Amino acid sequence: METRRDERIGQLIQALKRSDKLHLKEAAALLGVSEMTVRRDLNSQSGPVVLLGGYIVLEPRSASHYLLSDQKTRLVDEKKRAAQHAAQLLKAHQMAFFDCGTTTPWIIDAIDNELPFTGVCYSLNTFLALQEKPNCKVILCGGEFHASNAIFKPLSEHDTLAHLCPDIAFYSAAGIDIVQGATCFNLEELPVKHWAMRQARYHVLVADHSKFGKVRPARMGALEKFDVLVSDAAPERALLDYCKEKNIEIVW
């Protein structure tokens, strides 16, 4: 059984050398198996081939403390609940910025397919999720690709980003702390996050409850820079009181 799995993974790797991505349905047809079998192959252990937003892509391993392929299967139900709350904040015809991370695609998935909007992103998994939305105009900000978290770090802020003013921005954080604010693992994410925090008119911080009380290496900004904190469960009393004092709405 393991040998057949390895053979299928090898076929996918060869196919991805000819194309940057492969839809799950196409992969199943190529291998002559069901989509469920492909999903099971990819989820059984970490490796160079991963499933992102319905597409199979190559993801080289790196030395980062945060790997998208490692994080995407953790606390899925909690991320989904938080994402469903966040998705309700998007209105028709708005331009929305979507951060990187594993919670963000669940926000996009929860958006009504009939809702027309423009999605601005800088990560591969977020882009793949947005392009599945039939009434979404997608803007992908390019740059140097970082495989560990699947982001494109802009070479210059004076390209696509300089011309956009999103109505709403959805941010993903790996740590939520009263003193240090919102933090994440990777420094290369900060330029785009900080751009969105300057340019967007309404700021939504989305994180499952496991991020409360955590501080990660890269600081996004103080909590009062965000209009809403969305999670799957209520924060502890100290964080609730702090958000009330700073007029930060909490949704769970």
Side-chain angles (χ1 to χ4, degrees), residues 16-242:
L16 289 169
K17 289 180 178 179
R18 300 186 294 271
S19 174
D20 61 342
K21 65 181 184 296
L22 190 66
H23 197 278
L24 179 61
K25 184 178 295 185
E26 295 174 324
L30 172 68
L31 300 175
V33 297
S34 67
E35 293 182 24
M36 182 59 69
T37 296
V38 179
R39 286 183 181 273
R40 191 160 49 241
D41 285 349
L42 298 180
N43 289 332
S44 62
Q45 65 183 60
S46 61
V49 182
V50 296
L51 183 63
L52 296 174
Y55 282 84
I56 296 167
V57 298
L58 285 172
E59 184 183 339
R61 305 293 287 182
S62 80
S64 171
H65 291 92
Y66 176 95
L67 288 172
L68 191 70
S69 57
D70 294 339
Q71 296 293 327
K72 67 187 179 69
T73 57
R74 297 176 182 173
L75 297 169
V76 171
D77 290 339
E78 290 82 354
K79 292 175 182 177
K80 282 184 177 180
R81 285 198 293 273
Q84 287 166 358
H85 295 313
Q88 303 304 311
L89 300 174
L90 180 65
K91 307 303 181 186
H93 306 294
Q94 285 189 324
M95 174 182 284
F97 166 79
F98 293 92
D99 203 355
C100 61
T102 54
T103 301
T104 310
W106 293 119
I107 300 174
I108 298 166
D109 184 68
I111 296 171
D112 189 334
N113 283 340
E114 301 301 316
L115 189 76
F117 68 100
T118 298
V120 180
C121 63
Y122 69 114
S123 66
L124 180 60
N125 63 325
T126 304
F127 168 74
L128 293 175
L130 284 170
Q131 60 88 42
E132 292 285 342
K133 289 294 171 178
N135 290 301
C136 176
K137 177 181 178 181
V138 187
I139 299 175
L140 174 63
C141 302
E144 179 187 4
F145 184 64
H146 291 255
S148 63
N149 49 355
I151 72 163
F152 296 88
K153 182 181 178 182
L155 300 181
S156 169
E157 193 175 297
H158 301 290
D159 293 325
T160 304
L161 296 177
H163 304 286
L164 303 175
C165 293
D167 298 290
I168 186 170
F170 296 93
Y171 304 88
S172 177
I176 305 290
D177 179 74
I178 292 175
V179 176
Q180 296 299 338
T183 56
C184 61
F185 282 99
N186 294 308
L187 292 171
E188 64 264 20
E189 297 174 13
L190 292 182
V192 179
K193 291 178 188 285
H194 288 167
W195 163 82
M197 293 173 74
R198 290 192 303 270
Q199 296 293 100
R201 291 189 284 174
Y202 193 74
H203 306 277
V204 182
L205 182 59
V206 187
D208 66 77
H209 71 276
S210 71
K211 311 303 191 300
F212 297 149
K214 301 292 195 305
V215 177
R216 304 308 183 186
R219 189 171 190 264
M220 297 165 58
L223 292 183
E224 52 261 40
K225 291 183 177 293
F226 302 93
D227 296 290
V228 185
L229 171 60
V230 180
S231 188
D232 63 297
E236 60 184 14
R237 173 54 58 184
L239 183 54
L240 281 171
D241 291 343
Y242 181 86

